[in-house]
Amino acid sequence: MSDDETAGRSIDREATGPAADREPADTVTTRLAVPEMDCPSCASKVDGSLERVAGVTDVSLSPTKGTAAVTFDPTQTTEADVIAAIEGAGYEVLDDDSGADGAATGGPDVAPPTAVWTSPRAIKTWVGAVFLTLGLAIEFVFTGANVDIAAVLASPITVADGLFLVAIVVSGAPVVRGGIYSARNRSLDIDLLMGVAIIAATGIGYVVEAATLAVLFSIAELLEDYAMDRARDSLRELLELSPDEATVRRDGEELTVPAEAVEVGETVLVRPGEKIPLDGEVIEGESAVDESPITGESMPVEKSEGDAVFAGSITAEGYLEVEVTSTAGDSTLARIIELVQSAEENRTDKEQFVDRFAGYYTPAVVVVAILTAAIPPLLIADSATFAVAGYELVLPGGWRPWFVRGLTLLVIACPCAFVISTPVSVVSGITSAAKNGVLIKGGNHLEAMGAVDAVALDKTGTLTRGELTVTDVIPLGERDERDVLRRAAALERRSEHPIAAAIRDRAGRTGLDDVPDPAAFESLTGKGVRAEIEGESAYAGTPALFTQLGHDLAAVGGGDSDDSPHPDGGTLHARPAAASIKEHVETLETEGKTIVLVGTEREVWGILAIADEVRPGASRAVERLHELGVETVVMLTGDNEGTARAIAEAVGVDEYRAELLPEQKVAAVEELQETYGGVAMVGDGINDAPALATADVSVAMGAAGTDTALETADIALLGDDIGKLPYLYSLSHAANGVIRQNIWTSLGVKALLAVGVPLGYVSVAIAVVVGDMGMSLGVTGNAMRLARLSPDHGTGVERNQATAVPGTDETPDPTAE
């Protein structure tokens, strides 16, 4: 069975025997921790063993998590039979109470940490290493002590030989046992190759080589187990974010219960410093809440009555009572964890290529190893010398040197480092992104995002906040900004219009607490409002309304007395000093803003400009995308031409398309694909669904708590931070670089060693230390570097935490060390 058939594979078989004649029984799914199953080859062996168990209907194996999910018919088999089959493949199954978090189906989601260096395998390895060291010392240093102690078939056995044999038995027994399991399951993997090599070398008296191979390979296996355990830490940290218990109020009493036992509608109590156990809505209290486990945002968010909160976020100094809106299994955090865990099943193109290549690589090298051990001794009786490029190449004769070289090729034949090079990189990248508030739903999407040449951005809710905001307040005459806002808020106090809500919000954020109550309020449809304010009839409405009231807007002067710019939507626009109201209005309308004048029939108090405010980091995010290599950034919007042009200029996109219907956005994405190739579409995950589905990669903004966005998009930015987009592209680009580095380095090293073995330049020790242990550790360590890449909050710049220069905006190449 090839490696590409293992992880995430489902097995469908017909039942046999008496149970086949009955109605199908309900199946049972059990999830088991198998920490030693850490590569596709291991999974292949487990899968082959489970395939022979009657009643098993589905198998999902995850080497990166060290878990096996097995679905079976309980009328035909039991969980004990499933465990026995896995252990029959040579892999220990840990008990459910081993400390890992349980899944809905029972058992751990990720294999728990293991005591790698004190395990029984480790102890045997250390004992074998001691005997190997003593044997080498007596064999080559204290030669006088190397006397004969026994004889087998007339061949003497020295003290050193005895020490080597002990090392072989102690350290080599687990390897040979694993090889036997592999043979039973017809799996041509590293255990089978090493087991055969150790037995063959010992059988013909090459005890030094056999002992060296047994000990070094056992050390290599321990180091690989340790590296994989470290790689799984990121998944465990994600699981630990989910609270286990909740304090709930029932019948007037406070009870501490498992989070899974809390129902929708119940009230949970969250004290200062505690994790919020479930998604819900605050019904009492207020507190700053750290939502970084969900959104990746480092700044706490103030929460009070009516605000939504997420499971896994942490309260600061305040106390909250929260009405639960979703169960533990349906919370935003639970869905994020579930999607991250299943992401590895969406295999990248590179991963599929590696698996296919490995299926040919191992048998081919094994054949070469056999030919290397068998053919040259038949052709070279003593030795042979060849001149190659001015150098003399001496090839020995006899069976011993060529047997050792064939044995060395068997070591190189295992493609473990090559096969794990992609999945460990994908897991590292995806879990790192999840911790920073970016949910990537598969390695294929991680790979695709780093290869896009164009990014299409929706305007509303992506480049802008998606809500109206007062961007400019221009007082006229002797009045100041606070006075204009105060009177405008009073006039709009009873209006339900979104513009009125924006004005009231701006007044509240300005700290105006003396807004008078309006009297005789009247809504002037399509024009504005009128009311009595402090005994005076006042108006707030369009410039046309004030023209009807008799004002000559072109003749009335006002505005700032200097040239200082006014902030709006994260940009700065200079206003004409001492301009007429008409000139102010025309300038603001050119920027795509809605204008509200405030005043009476006798005078105009001031001008307010309302717009959908540009996100503060939008322009920097677009700039950074260009710096990272994105060829074109395009804004797609259904808004009018004037507003679209103003927003496009403010954020610096290369081009914009305005007044687009949903189907026209799809056509725009298709046009970009024809022009540039790979296209990523960024939107809200709902209104832009057709365009998102058309793009090569779909990215949803602000997806925390939004079921639809989490389900429909390939990638979700859980917070509303557009600055995460450059981080996402940089991470994806870096992940592609790391994957390429891992694949070609491991393949190149294997090829170089394979060429050097027949020529006598590569020993068994070098093959194990460099080709197996070294490359496995190398690709794992290289993949874990992705966890060090993180967004720089507030600027949209991503940083490599280990190498960013403090106090500067310099961002190192994320693939460089």
Side-chain angles (χ1 to χ4, degrees):
M1 184 181 301
S2 63
D3 290 339
D4 60 337
E5 294 177 286
T6 55
R9 176 182 178 277
S10 296
I11 304 173
D12 295 310
R13 296 188 289 273
E14 293 184 0
T16 57
D21 299 326
R22 299 193 299 268
E23 289 293 324
D26 291 337
T27 58
V28 174
T29 299
T30 182
R31 186 170 299 177
L32 305 167
V34 192
E36 295 175 353
M37 183 185 68
D38 55 11
C39 68
S41 178
C42 304
S44 175
K45 198 183 329 183
V46 171
D47 189 68
S49 184
L50 288 170
E51 198 171 36
R52 294 191 291 274
V53 179
V56 171
T57 59
D58 184 86
V59 175
S60 180
L61 305 175
S62 175
T64 52
K65 291 185 290 188
T67 60
V70 183
T71 302
F72 59 90
D73 182 349
T75 64
Q76 298 186 63
T77 191
T78 64
E79 182 175 314
D81 295 331
V82 170
I83 293 174
I86 295 175
E87 293 184 337
Y91 299 96
E92 181 185 7
V93 177
L94 300 186
D95 295 333
D96 287 348
D97 58 357
S98 55
D101 296 328
T105 56
D109 289 319
V110 180
T114 55
V116 174
W117 306 117
T118 58
S119 65
R121 173 74 177 269
I123 293 173
K124 293 176 182 178
T125 300
W126 308 140
V127 172
V130 170
F131 280 95
L132 173 63
T133 303
L134 292 174
L136 291 173
I138 293 176
E139 178 83 10
F140 299 106
V141 181
F142 306 105
T143 55
N146 194 22
V147 298
D148 295 346
I149 56 174
V152 175
L153 299 177
S155 297
I157 296 178
T158 65
V159 172
D161 292 337
L163 294 171
F164 291 139
L165 287 171
V166 173
I168 292 169
V169 171
V170 175
S171 294
V175 182
V176 173
R177 185 173 64 250
I180 294 172
Y181 290 134
S182 298
R184 289 177 181 173
N185 291 283
R186 299 182 296 280
S187 176
L188 186 62
D189 62 7
I190 187 66
D191 289 330
L192 178 58
L193 297 176
M194 294 302 99
V196 169
I198 291 170
I199 292 173
T202 305
I204 62 173
Y206 295 174
V207 290
V208 177
E209 290 82 357
T212 302
L213 181 58
V215 171
L216 287 181
F217 178 70
S218 294
I219 294 174
E221 290 287 279
L222 292 175
L223 287 170
E224 289 175 20
D225 290 344
Y226 174 73
M228 182 56 72
D229 196 57
R230 287 288 305 276
R232 290 170 182 163
D233 282 344
S234 57
L235 288 170
R236 297 189 192 105
E237 290 172 7
L238 194 61
L239 289 170
E240 289 170 0
L241 296 175
S242 184
D244 297 323
E245 295 181 330
T247 302
V248 62
R249 181 180 291 138
R250 292 177 178 171
D251 300 326
E253 296 184 10
E254 295 183 10
L255 303 173
T256 300
V257 299
E260 293 81 1
V262 181
E263 300 292 336
V264 173
E266 290 196 274
T267 300
V268 296
L269 315 179
V270 188
R271 294 178 172 80
E274 291 184 347
K275 283 184 180 179
I276 296 173
L278 300 129
D279 286 2
E281 181 179 310
V282 177
I283 58 176
E284 186 176 328
E286 56 183 44
S287 175
V289 175
D290 176 8
E291 293 186 338
S292 59
I294 308 298
T295 65
E297 298 298 330
S298 58
M299 293 299 294
V301 181
E302 294 292 334
K303 299 289 184 179
S304 57
E305 185 175 342
D307 290 334
V309 291
F310 303 117
S313 52
I314 305 168
T315 58
E317 74 287 346
Y319 166 83
L320 297 177
E321 293 190 7
V322 178
E323 181 178 335
V324 176
T325 56
S326 65
T327 59
D330 293 328
S331 69
T332 298
L333 178 60
R335 291 197 301 274
I336 292 170
I337 292 173
E338 181 181 357
L339 289 170
V340 170
Q341 289 179 319
S342 62
E344 65 170 319
E345 296 177 10
N346 297 322
R347 298 158 71 80
T348 69
D349 292 339
K350 293 184 180 69
E351 192 171 0
Q352 295 177 40
F353 160 75
V354 165
D355 287 340
R356 289 193 299 270
F357 182 87
Y360 297 101
Y361 168 83
T362 300
V365 178
V366 169
V367 170
V368 172
I370 295 172
L371 295 177
T372 299
I375 302 300
L378 299 176
L379 302 178
I380 305 174
D382 186 11
S383 65
T385 303
F386 301 91
V388 180
Y391 294 93
E392 285 193 354
L393 178 63
V394 179
L395 298 180
W399 290 96
R400 181 183 181 91
W402 291 105
F403 176 84
V404 172
R405 295 179 187 188
L407 183 150
T408 306
L409 278 172
L410 283 183
V411 176
I412 296 171
C414 178
C416 279
F418 183 57
V419 171
I420 69 172
S421 59
T422 300
V424 295
S425 303
V426 168
V427 169
S428 178
I430 288 175
T431 53
S432 174
K435 293 175 187 176
N436 287 294
V438 178
L439 178 60
I440 304 174
K441 294 165 61 176
N444 51 340
H445 307 312
L446 176 69
E447 184 179 66
M449 184 64 199
V452 300
D453 296 309
V455 175
L457 302 169
D458 177 46
K459 179 184 76 69
T460 305
T462 301
L463 291 172
T464 65
R465 295 185 182 277
E467 56 186 31
L468 294 179
T469 303
V470 176
T471 61
D472 300 80
V473 180
I474 303 176
L476 303 176
E478 299 300 322
R479 303 186 183 278
D480 61 19
E481 182 178 313
R482 291 178 63 88
D483 187 46
V484 174
L485 266 178
R486 176 175 173 274
R487 291 171 182 267
L491 283 164
E492 301 285 7
R493 194 161 190 170
R494 295 181 182 177
S495 174
E496 299 298 325
H497 197 280
I499 289 178
I503 294 172
R504 293 194 300 268
D505 178 69
R506 174 63 179 269
R509 288 189 286 112
T510 305
L512 298 176
D513 53 7
D514 59 344
V515 177
D517 287 325
F521 175 83
E522 180 184 359
S523 175
L524 308 175
T525 304
K527 299 178 181 179
V529 298
R530 186 195 68 80
E532 296 290 332
I533 303 297
E534 297 177 335
E536 187 175 16
S537 182
Y539 298 82
T542 64
L545 170 63
F546 279 79
T547 299
Q548 291 179 7
L549 293 174
H551 292 286
D552 183 0
L553 302 184
V556 176
D560 296 319
S561 58
D562 58 26
D563 296 332
S564 61
H566 283 249
D568 80 59
T571 63
L572 295 175
H573 294 278
R575 310 284 182 231
S580 68
I581 294 176
K582 181 179 180 181
E583 289 172 320
H584 280 302
V585 168
E586 288 176 347
T587 300
L588 293 167
E589 286 182 337
T590 301
E591 295 165 7
K593 298 176 181 179
T594 299
I595 309 304
V596 174
L597 301 185
V598 184
T600 66
E601 294 179 355
R602 292 180 292 104
E603 63 177 327
V604 180
W605 296 334
I607 307 169
L608 280 73
I610 292 92
D612 183 1
E613 189 175 17
V614 175
R615 293 185 184 275
S619 60
R620 177 55 181 152
V622 172
E623 179 185 3
R624 185 62 182 144
L625 285 173
H626 284 132
E627 292 173 356
L628 291 170
V630 176
E631 187 174 346
T632 299
V633 181
V634 181
M635 183 183 76
L636 306 180
T637 179
D639 215 332
N640 63 74
E641 176 75 18
T643 300
R645 181 176 60 255
I647 299 299
E649 291 175 354
V651 300
V653 296
D654 298 290
E655 57 182 281
Y656 68 91
R657 316 281 176 86
E659 301 178 6
L660 298 180
L661 297 174
E663 58 269 23
Q664 292 173 316
K665 287 188 178 182
V666 171
V669 170
E670 291 174 342
E671 181 183 335
L672 290 171
Q673 288 172 324
E674 292 177 2
T675 304
Y676 299 102
V679 174
M681 173 69 190
V682 186
D684 61 12
I686 302 173
N687 298 330
D688 299 306
L692 288 167
T694 303
D696 297 276
V697 185
S698 60
V699 183
M701 280 284 296
T706 307
D707 292 349
T708 304
L710 285 175
E711 292 169 3
T712 59
D714 300 326
I715 301 172
L717 307 183
L718 299 175
D720 281 332
D721 185 5
I722 187 67
K724 296 287 181 64
L725 194 58
Y727 160 72
L728 168 62
Y729 180 83
S730 182
L731 175 69
S732 301
H733 189 71
N736 284 341
V738 167
I739 290 171
R740 285 193 298 269
Q741 292 165 14
N742 283 351
I743 289 175
W744 294 113
T745 301
S746 56
L747 186 59
V749 169
K750 289 279 189 181
L752 189 62
L753 292 175
V755 171
V757 168
L759 303 178
Y761 295 125
V762 178
S763 65
V764 171
I766 292 176
V768 174
V769 173
V770 177
D772 183 56
M773 174 177 64
M775 286 314 306
S776 294
L777 292 176
V779 298
T780 303
N782 194 34
M784 291 173 66
R785 290 193 305 114
L786 293 173
R788 295 158 56 188
L789 192 69
S790 66
D792 186 9
H793 296 283
T795 66
V797 182
E798 65 290 346
R799 290 183 182 274
N800 186 312
Q801 292 177 339
T803 55
V805 182
T808 75
D809 289 332
E810 299 176 12
T811 304
D813 181 354
T815 63
E817 279 294 286

